[in-house]
Amino acid sequence: MNIAIVCYPTFGGSGVVATELGIALSKMGHNIHFVTYNQPVRLDRINTPNLFFHEVNVPDYPLFKYQPYELALSSRLVDVVKAHSIDVLHVHYAIPHAYAAYMAKKMLLDEDISIPIVTTLHGTDITLVGSHPFYRPAVTFSINHSDCVTAVSESLKQDTLRLFDIKTEIKVIPNFIDTKKFENKEKPCERSLLAPTDDKIITHISNFRPLKRINDVIDVFEQISTNVSSKLLMVGEGPEKSKAMAYVKSKGLNEKVVFLGNSNEIDKILCYSDLFLLPSEMESFGLVALEAMANGVPVISSNAGGLSEVNKHGFSGFLSDVGDVNSMAKNALELLLDEEKLNKFKKQAKKQAQLFNIDKVVTEYEDIYKRALTK
Ligand code: GMT
């Protein structure tokens, strides 16, 4: 099949999922065309002849206060579909991708070209942004006019049905990971580069937005570090980062907390880690928790949204109510103070991640494409 994938090319989970899916589909022989404004960060096309990237350019025009990205995207989609005989358009993140895809579909119909749209809902496109009254009618329309709709967790599906008037069936296809990448990896990697060997390494990775509750990460770590010699690695960039740095300073934790910024070496960092913290207010799935687990890192998380579908309480880690930092710290210490238990949870985290192996999920997306083609 010739498949066009639209996504955000940044470090966010939806872009990562779209990119990894495209790469996996290309390995199965499909021709994959990414259509977005930058080459996706995890896309390495060097050795893959059937992966293509088509840039969406939005020329700056002084009359516009806001440059019309969805107009440029829908025009680019029309060109790509025609030039590369695309069979299916798969858009990740409803805003504005599903909307732009619908416009492209209509333009193509004018030329007697019929193209099905598959829309994958990721989380904030529904829970935070999409359901805002300013956007809700357009998002509802775009979902209802997609040929097939998928959501990355049961929790997100239920949120979508609760927040919008949805007439289309929503199929849950969970996020995934290529667990083969982590087989035969020896620990403790090169952890001595970051901390003395007897220090425990605690990691948090996110885009540092308010819903990630960065202060909770620091509060939990503060309790950990008073009981266990440890370091906190904070990976990522975002609006809360400078506040977080100030908060760390105000607590006198500077020596123990390292801010690493965005990284293309997530697996390397997770390979050093003993525990992963994700106390989010909202999380449709929590792909980063799955990445941690695949690297054998137990997860101390909140129980928001789809996190309980990914992180199994008492097996791959622990879940607590949002904001309950005392419970999170207690759970973390339960593992960090008991080496045998920690090692058991590390193995179990890896085992839990196997449930989300890419092979099964790619086939599910292939089936969805086939179904969309019959519509
Ligand atoms: O919120 C983020 O961290 C980014 C956002 C995105 O769209 O990239 O993440 C959402 O999609 C991810 C991939 O499906 C999920 O793993 C995240 O849980 C989800 N974020 C939220 O729901 C807040």
Side-chain angles (χ1 to χ4, degrees):
M1 263 187 261
N2 297 326
I3 303 159
I5 293 184
V6 179
C7 64
Y8 283 108
T10 51
F11 284 93
S14 61
V16 170
V17 167
T19 309
E20 298 288 351
L21 175 64
I23 294 170
L25 288 163
S26 76
K27 287 186 184 150
M28 293 171 81
H30 299 292
N31 294 314
I32 305 299
H33 297 259
F34 285 94
V35 188
T36 180
Y37 58 83
N38 270 331
Q39 173 154 325
V41 287
R42 292 220 190 156
L43 183 63
D44 173 10
R45 289 179 297 135
I46 290 168
N47 297 316
T48 326
N50 50 342
L51 272 182
F52 308 90
F53 164 56
H54 308 277
E55 190 175 352
V56 180
N57 282 304
V58 189
D60 248 349
Y61 188 65
L63 181 69
F64 299 144
K65 183 171 172 195
Y66 307 105
Q67 306 303 320
Y69 179 66
E70 46 275 53
L71 205 64
L73 174 60
S74 54
S75 295
R76 192 79 171 110
L77 284 174
V78 169
D79 292 343
V80 171
V81 168
K82 289 202 299 196
H84 300 279
S85 308
I86 298 296
D87 299 303
V88 179
L89 265 182
H90 187 176
V91 300
H92 289 260
Y93 208 88
I95 306 171
H97 299 154
Y99 191 72
Y102 174 78
M103 284 315 297
K105 181 179 174 128
K106 284 291 175 199
M107 285 187 263
L108 287 160
L109 262 186
D110 245 18
E111 299 184 45
D112 288 329
I113 299 169
S114 169
I115 182 97
I117 303 170
V118 175
T119 297
T120 292
L121 310 174
H122 277 275
T124 43
D125 47 350
I126 295 301
T127 51
L128 197 67
V129 195
S131 55
H132 192 284
F134 291 171
Y135 298 120
R136 196 189 291 120
V139 175
T140 310
F141 177 89
S142 311
I143 295 174
N144 282 334
H145 284 80
S146 297
D147 295 281
C148 291
V149 180
T150 73
V152 299
S153 65
E154 183 58 37
S155 153
L156 181 60
K157 174 178 172 173
Q158 294 311 325
D159 281 341
T160 311
L161 297 175
R162 182 171 49 80
L163 294 165
F164 299 87
D165 183 13
I166 298 300
K167 312 256 186 285
T168 318
E169 184 200 339
I170 301 177
K171 181 171 167 51
V172 175
I173 302 186
N175 286 334
F176 53 83
I177 197 144
D178 186 354
T179 51
K180 279 193 243 49
K181 275 207 273 183
F182 311 105
E183 280 161 18
N184 309 320
K185 256 197 184 173
E186 289 303 321
K187 287 211 167 182
C189 315
E190 297 159 62
R191 61 182 292 151
S192 55
L193 295 175
L194 282 159
T197 37
D198 50 350
D199 267 13
K200 293 287 183 240
I201 298 184
I202 319 299
T203 301
H204 170 78
I205 304 172
S206 76
N207 48 21
F208 286 69
R209 283 175 303 150
L211 66 83
K212 300 292 174 181
R213 296 185 68 98
I214 303 297
N215 282 5
D216 286 4
V217 174
I218 297 161
D219 289 343
V220 173
F221 176 70
E222 185 182 29
Q223 292 194 37
I224 291 174
S225 71
T226 52
N227 291 282
V228 176
S229 174
S230 49
K231 275 248 152 58
L232 173 64
L233 306 184
M234 299 286 268
V235 185
E237 294 289 345
E240 297 291 291
K241 188 176 166 188
S242 49
K243 273 187 250 166
M245 291 172 107
Y247 194 52
V248 164
K249 200 169 169 200
S250 75
K251 287 183 171 282
L253 290 169
N254 280 27
E255 299 291 304
K256 296 180 176 179
V257 183
V258 184
F259 286 87
L260 291 174
N262 280 334
S263 173
N264 269 323
E265 297 195 302
I266 294 301
D267 292 335
K268 220 174 187 176
I269 294 166
L270 287 169
C271 177
Y272 309 139
S273 306
D274 293 293
L275 221 53
F276 189 81
L277 301 182
L278 193 63
S280 308
E281 181 96 44
M282 209 185 272
E283 207 69 67
S284 67
F285 183 91
L287 181 66
V288 72
L290 178 58
E291 292 186 317
M293 284 154 45
N295 277 284
V297 186
V299 173
I300 301 295
S301 70
S302 72
N303 53 11
L307 277 170
S308 61
E309 294 171 51
V310 182
N311 183 20
K312 282 286 158 251
H313 186 75
F315 186 73
S316 55
F318 290 104
L319 297 110
S320 305
D321 288 342
V322 174
D324 193 345
V325 290
N326 291 337
S327 156
M328 290 178 201
K330 184 180 149 287
N331 290 335
L333 286 166
E334 188 176 324
L335 297 181
L336 293 170
L337 291 168
D338 182 343
E339 202 62 34
E340 205 176 304
K341 196 165 192 178
L342 179 61
N343 285 331
K344 187 172 156 208
F345 269 66
K346 285 182 177 182
K347 287 197 188 101
Q348 289 173 178
K350 256 193 155 165
K351 196 165 176 205
Q352 173 71 4
Q354 298 279 356
L355 299 178
F356 299 88
N357 197 17
I358 191 168
D359 298 339
K360 181 175 161 282
V361 174
V362 174
T363 320
E364 288 192 54
Y365 276 116
E366 270 186 315
D367 290 345
I368 283 282
Y369 299 154
K370 285 180 200 149
R371 200 196 306 169
L373 278 164
T374 64
K375 295 211 171 177

Coordinates of all heavy atoms in Angstrom, one line a residue, residues 101-137:
A101 N -7.2 16.8 6.4 CA -7.4 15.6 5.6 C -8.8 15.6 5.0 O -8.9 15.2 3.8 CB -7.2 14.4 6.5
Y102 N -9.8 16.0 5.8 CA -11.1 16.1 5.2 C -11.2 17.0 4.0 O -11.8 16.7 3.0 CB -12.1 16.5 6.3 CG -13.5 16.7 5.7 CD1 -14.3 15.6 5.5 CD2 -14.0 17.9 5.4 CE1 -15.6 15.7 4.9 CE2 -15.3 18.1 4.9 CZ -16.1 17.0 4.6 OH -17.3 17.2 4.1
M103 N -10.6 18.2 4.1 CA -10.5 19.2 3.0 C -9.8 18.6 1.8 O -10.3 18.7 0.7 CB -9.8 20.5 3.5 CG -10.7 21.4 4.4 SD -12.3 21.6 3.8 CE -12.1 22.4 2.2
A104 N -8.7 17.9 2.1 CA -8.0 17.3 1.0 C -8.8 16.2 0.3 O -8.9 16.2 -1.0 CB -6.7 16.6 1.5
K105 N -9.5 15.4 1.1 CA -10.4 14.4 0.5 C -11.5 15.0 -0.4 O -11.7 14.5 -1.5 CB -11.1 13.6 1.7 CG -12.0 12.5 1.3 CD -12.6 11.8 2.5 CE -13.6 10.8 2.1 NZ -13.4 9.5 2.6
K106 N -12.1 16.1 0.0 CA -13.1 16.8 -0.8 C -12.5 17.3 -2.0 O -13.1 17.2 -3.1 CB -13.8 17.9 0.1 CG -14.7 17.3 1.1 CD -15.9 16.7 0.4 CE -16.9 16.1 1.4 NZ -17.8 15.1 0.8
M107 N -11.3 17.9 -1.9 CA -10.7 18.5 -3.1 C -10.4 17.4 -4.2 O -10.6 17.5 -5.4 CB -9.4 19.2 -2.8 CG -9.7 20.6 -2.1 SD -8.1 21.5 -1.9 CE -7.8 21.1 -0.2
L108 N -9.9 16.2 -3.6 CA -9.6 15.1 -4.5 C -10.8 14.5 -5.2 O -10.8 14.1 -6.3 CB -8.8 14.1 -3.7 CG -7.4 14.5 -3.4 CD1 -6.8 13.7 -2.2 CD2 -6.4 14.3 -4.6
L109 N -11.9 14.5 -4.4 CA -13.2 14.0 -5.0 C -13.6 14.7 -6.2 O -14.2 14.2 -7.2 CB -14.3 14.0 -3.9 CG -14.6 12.8 -3.1 CD1 -15.8 13.0 -2.2 CD2 -14.8 11.5 -4.0
D110 N -13.3 16.0 -6.2 CA -13.6 16.9 -7.4 C -12.8 16.4 -8.6 O -13.2 16.7 -9.7 CB -13.1 18.3 -7.1 CG -14.3 19.3 -7.0 OD1 -15.4 18.8 -6.8 OD2 -14.0 20.5 -7.1
E111 N -11.8 15.7 -8.4 CA -11.0 15.1 -9.5 C -11.2 13.6 -9.6 O -10.4 12.9 -10.1 CB -9.5 15.4 -9.3 CG -9.2 16.9 -9.2 CD -7.7 17.2 -9.1 OE1 -7.0 16.7 -9.9 OE2 -7.4 18.1 -8.3
D112 N -12.3 13.1 -9.0 CA -12.7 11.7 -9.1 C -11.6 10.8 -8.4 O -11.5 9.7 -8.8 CB -12.9 11.2 -10.5 CG -14.2 11.8 -11.0 OD1 -15.1 12.0 -10.2 OD2 -14.3 12.1 -12.3
I113 N -10.9 11.3 -7.4 CA -10.0 10.5 -6.6 C -10.6 10.3 -5.3 O -10.9 11.3 -4.6 CB -8.6 11.2 -6.5 CG1 -8.0 11.4 -7.9 CG2 -7.7 10.3 -5.6 CD1 -6.7 12.2 -7.9
S114 N -10.8 9.1 -4.9 CA -11.3 8.8 -3.6 C -10.3 8.3 -2.6 O -9.5 7.4 -2.9 CB -12.4 7.7 -3.7 OG -12.8 7.3 -2.5
I115 N -10.1 9.0 -1.5 CA -9.1 8.6 -0.5 C -9.6 8.5 0.9 O -10.2 9.4 1.4 CB -7.9 9.7 -0.6 CG1 -6.8 9.3 0.4 CG2 -8.3 11.1 -0.2 CD1 -5.7 8.5 -0.3
P116 N -9.5 7.3 1.5 CA -10.0 7.1 2.8 C -9.1 7.8 3.9 O -7.9 7.8 3.7 CB -10.1 5.6 3.0 CG -9.2 5.0 2.0 CD -9.0 6.0 0.9
I117 N -9.7 8.2 5.0 CA -9.0 8.9 6.1 C -9.1 8.0 7.3 O -10.2 7.6 7.8 CB -9.5 10.2 6.4 CG1 -9.5 11.2 5.2 CG2 -8.8 10.9 7.6 CD1 -10.3 12.5 5.4
V118 N -7.9 7.7 7.9 CA -7.9 7.0 9.2 C -7.3 8.1 10.2 O -6.3 8.7 9.9 CB -6.9 5.8 9.2 CG1 -6.8 5.2 10.6 CG2 -7.4 4.7 8.2
T119 N -8.1 8.3 11.3 CA -7.6 9.3 12.3 C -7.3 8.6 13.6 O -8.1 7.8 14.1 CB -8.8 10.3 12.5 OG1 -9.0 11.1 11.3 CG2 -8.4 11.3 13.6
T120 N -6.1 8.9 14.1 CA -5.8 8.3 15.4 C -5.8 9.5 16.4 O -5.1 10.5 16.3 CB -4.4 7.7 15.3 OG1 -4.5 6.5 14.5 CG2 -3.9 7.2 16.7
L121 N -6.6 9.3 17.5 CA -6.7 10.2 18.5 C -5.6 9.9 19.6 O -5.4 8.8 19.9 CB -8.1 10.2 19.2 CG -9.2 10.2 18.2 CD1 -10.6 10.0 18.9 CD2 -9.3 11.6 17.4
H122 N -4.9 10.9 20.0 CA -3.8 10.7 20.9 C -4.0 11.1 22.4 O -3.3 10.6 23.3 CB -2.5 11.3 20.4 CG -1.9 10.4 19.3 ND1 -1.0 9.4 19.7 CD2 -2.0 10.4 18.0 CE1 -0.6 8.8 18.5 NE2 -1.2 9.3 17.5
G123 N -4.7 12.1 22.6 CA -4.9 12.5 24.0 C -5.3 14.0 24.2 O -6.5 14.3 24.2
T124 N -4.3 14.9 24.1 CA -4.7 16.3 24.4 C -5.5 16.9 23.2 O -6.2 17.9 23.4 CB -3.4 17.1 24.6 OG1 -2.4 16.7 23.6 CG2 -2.8 16.9 26.0
D125 N -5.5 16.2 22.0 CA -6.3 16.6 20.9 C -7.8 16.5 21.3 O -8.7 17.1 20.7 CB -6.0 15.9 19.6 CG -5.8 14.4 19.8 OD1 -5.8 13.9 20.9 OD2 -5.8 13.7 18.7
I126 N -8.1 15.6 22.3 CA -9.4 15.4 22.8 C -9.6 16.0 24.1 O -10.5 16.8 24.3 CB -9.6 13.8 22.9 CG1 -9.6 13.2 21.5 CG2 -10.9 13.5 23.6 CD1 -10.6 13.7 20.5
T127 N -8.8 15.7 25.1 CA -9.0 16.0 26.5 C -8.8 17.5 26.8 O -9.4 18.1 27.6 CB -8.2 15.2 27.4 OG1 -6.8 15.2 27.0 CG2 -8.6 13.7 27.4
L128 N -7.7 18.1 26.2 CA -7.3 19.4 26.6 C -7.7 20.5 25.6 O -8.3 21.5 25.9 CB -5.8 19.4 26.9 CG -5.2 20.5 27.7 CD1 -5.7 20.5 29.1 CD2 -3.7 20.5 27.7
V129 N -7.3 20.2 24.3 CA -7.5 21.3 23.3 C -8.8 21.1 22.5 O -9.6 22.0 22.4 CB -6.3 21.2 22.3 CG1 -6.3 22.5 21.5 CG2 -5.0 21.1 23.0
G130 N -9.0 19.8 22.1 CA -10.1 19.6 21.2 C -11.4 19.8 21.7 O -12.4 20.3 21.0
S131 N -11.6 19.6 23.0 CA -12.9 19.8 23.6 C -13.2 21.2 24.0 O -14.3 21.5 24.5 CB -13.1 18.9 24.9 OG -12.0 19.1 25.8
H132 N -12.2 22.1 23.8 CA -12.5 23.5 24.1 C -13.6 24.0 23.2 O -13.6 23.7 22.0 CB -11.2 24.3 23.8 CG -11.2 25.7 24.4 ND1 -11.9 26.7 23.7 CD2 -10.7 26.3 25.5 CE1 -11.8 27.8 24.4 NE2 -11.1 27.6 25.5
P133 N -14.5 24.8 23.7 CA -15.6 25.3 22.8 C -15.2 25.9 21.5 O -15.9 25.9 20.5 CB -16.4 26.3 23.7 CG -16.0 26.0 25.1 CD -14.6 25.3 25.1
F134 N -14.0 26.5 21.5 CA -13.5 27.2 20.3 C -13.3 26.1 19.2 O -13.3 26.5 18.0 CB -12.2 27.9 20.5 CG -12.3 29.1 21.4 CD1 -11.2 29.8 21.8 CD2 -13.6 29.6 21.8 CE1 -11.3 30.9 22.6 CE2 -13.7 30.8 22.6 CZ -12.5 31.4 23.0
Y135 N -12.9 24.9 19.6 CA -12.6 23.9 18.6 C -13.6 22.8 18.4 O -13.6 22.0 17.4 CB -11.2 23.3 19.0 CG -10.0 24.2 19.0 CD1 -9.3 24.4 20.2 CD2 -9.7 24.9 17.8 CE1 -8.2 25.3 20.2 CE2 -8.6 25.8 17.9 CZ -7.9 26.0 19.1 OH -6.8 26.8 19.1
R136 N -14.4 22.6 19.5 CA -15.2 21.3 19.5 C -16.0 21.0 18.2 O -16.0 19.9 17.8 CB -16.1 21.3 20.7 CG -16.6 19.9 21.0 CD -17.7 19.8 22.1 NE -17.3 20.1 23.4 CZ -17.8 21.1 24.2 NH1 -18.7 21.8 23.7 NH2 -17.3 21.3 25.4
P137 N -16.7 22.0 17.7 CA -17.5 21.7 16.5 C -16.6 21.1 15.3 O -17.0 20.1 14.7 CB -18.1 23.0 16.1 CG -18.1 23.8 17.3 CD -16.9 23.4 18.1

